[in-house]
Amino acid sequence: MATSFPVLGMLAIVCSALSDIFMFEKRILKFQGTQNVRDLGGYRTNNGSQVKWRQLYRGSRLSKLTQRDLRFLKRRKVAEIVDFRSAVERRNEPDIVPKGAKDIILTVLGRDTTHSTQSAEELAKASSQPDYGYHEMIRTYHRMIADDFSQKAYTKFFDLLLKKDPEQSLLFHCTEGKDRTGLATALFYTALGVDTDTIYKDYLLTNDILRERLDQRLEKASKYGASQADLDNIESFMSVDADYLSEAFSTMADLSGDPENYLAEYLHLDDSKIQILRNKYLV
């Protein structure tokens, strides 16, 4: 009997690890023409509810979707696609969407200060100043929370979520699916009552998903003679950092006291709308 407790403990650890792997595989969707596409379902809220699967998806650029990708979106009943990108980004890489799906433009940043569309060489030339990329991203996250322009886009985004047909699904995206999309996801989970640690963990999944792509860009920049400061800046622009999301939450606290008050005051999500969201997206 004395040895059964360590065995049971080990089994619990193994089961937990297998559960995490299953959830990861269910969450991360494999596409041929894009990366970083995820189902927002599965996470638990503070009161024990669970976010519904197959209602909301997040993604990156949709300009190279294959017919197989489009059939997948059709099977998942994606009826609305929300594009957070700037006009320049949309013009250079227009969305390819399933037949019948509505493509909705909600520009979050008038100019793409996430530098998502730049090549490795362009990023290296942007600035050789140490930590330039990190500080630029911090400023970008501050703007996405504090600027009226971004607030209006996210307010309209939540309006769409409130009105969405529960029999259909919605996908929202930007270029890399990490900053404008990552922040939208964090705001959504906050509204549903998902705990902060889970929100950060989900946000940082982008780095695992895009690691290979980032390594390729860094290698290419090195071949062009990029300095270490250049490489650090590229990594800051092409990945996510917990500090970026912390800047967003800190800005919400500065403006309204806490994220929940920010949602009410600046994105017009009062208690009744929060309850509608939770009724619609939690089980």
Side-chain angles (χ1 to χ4, degrees):
M1 290 294 292
T3 59
S4 65
F5 292 105
V7 172
L8 290 174
M10 183 61 70
L11 284 173
I13 292 171
V14 171
C15 289
S16 177
L18 290 173
S19 176
D20 288 345
I21 292 170
F22 171 76
M23 291 289 278
F24 183 87
E25 292 296 325
K26 188 174 182 180
R27 185 176 312 285
I28 312 301
L29 305 177
K30 305 297 184 183
F31 278 63
Q32 293 178 329
T34 190
Q35 290 181 295
N36 207 10
V37 183
R38 306 183 223 168
D39 191 320
L40 269 66
Y43 289 125
R44 293 286 177 182
T45 66
N46 291 318
N47 68 1
S49 298
Q50 185 181 49
V51 183
K52 291 180 181 179
W53 294 100
R54 297 196 174 199
Q55 287 292 308
L56 295 179
Y57 302 95
R58 55 177 289 180
S60 58
R61 56 171 64 80
L62 304 181
S63 57
K64 296 181 180 179
L65 293 187
T66 65
Q67 287 302 311
R68 178 182 172 185
D69 295 335
L70 291 172
R71 287 194 298 271
F72 180 88
L73 292 177
K74 199 75 174 177
R75 287 197 303 272
R76 291 295 181 100
K77 300 181 180 180
V78 175
E80 295 176 307
I81 292 177
V82 177
D83 189 344
F84 290 141
R85 298 177 301 163
S86 67
V88 172
E89 292 171 280
R90 295 195 305 272
R91 183 168 62 250
N92 290 339
E93 296 183 298
D95 277 352
I96 297 174
V97 303
K99 186 177 180 180
K102 189 175 181 181
D103 202 13
I104 302 165
I105 308 303
L106 291 181
T107 304
V108 170
L109 294 166
R111 182 173 62 89
D112 177 27
T113 53
T114 67
H115 296 262
S116 297
T117 58
Q118 291 187 310
S119 66
E121 310 90 85
E122 289 171 331
L123 285 171
K125 292 176 182 177
S127 177
S128 295
Q129 180 181 348
D131 295 327
Y132 168 78
Y134 172 84
H135 291 298
E136 180 68 4
M137 292 305 297
I138 292 290
R139 287 189 289 268
T140 294
Y141 274 72
H142 177 85
R143 284 195 293 270
M144 288 195 290
I145 292 297
D147 284 5
D148 180 67
F149 186 89
S150 299
Q151 291 167 5
K152 287 179 179 177
Y154 284 131
T155 297
K156 291 177 181 177
F157 170 64
F158 276 105
D159 287 344
L160 290 170
L161 300 191
L162 288 163
K163 297 173 184 175
K164 187 187 75 65
D165 183 343
E167 298 300 318
Q168 298 178 327
S169 59
L170 178 150
L171 182 149
F172 57 97
H173 76 98
C174 51
T175 293
E176 295 292 345
K178 64 185 185 70
D179 301 308
R180 291 160 288 189
T181 296
L183 182 56
T185 303
L187 292 169
F188 171 71
Y189 285 144
T190 298
L192 294 192
V194 175
D195 69 274
T196 303
D197 287 345
T198 299
I199 291 172
Y200 272 84
K201 183 179 178 181
D202 177 79
Y203 170 77
L204 292 169
L205 271 179
T206 283
N207 289 338
D208 296 329
I209 298 167
L210 299 182
R211 186 71 242 180
E212 183 178 354
R213 181 181 176 89
L214 172 60
D215 288 343
Q216 290 171 352
R217 288 201 174 196
L218 291 172
E219 182 180 358
K220 191 172 183 180
S222 295
K223 291 179 180 179
Y224 279 88
S227 67
Q228 186 57 52
D230 294 331
L231 297 176
D232 290 343
N233 286 330
I234 291 171
E235 182 148 13
S236 293
F237 282 128
M238 300 312 302
S239 60
V240 293
D241 190 305
D243 288 353
Y244 303 165
L245 191 57
S246 292
E247 176 63 24
F249 279 111
S250 294
T251 304
M252 287 185 239
D254 290 342
L255 290 172
S256 300
D258 61 45
E260 290 74 18
N261 285 335
Y262 172 83
L263 293 177
E265 186 175 353
Y266 288 92
L267 303 189
H268 310 294
L269 289 173
D270 58 23
D271 289 345
S272 63
K273 289 182 179 179
I274 291 291
Q275 194 56 54
I276 292 171
L277 281 174
R278 293 182 179 185
N279 290 342
K280 186 182 286 281
Y281 295 103
L282 296 179
V283 64

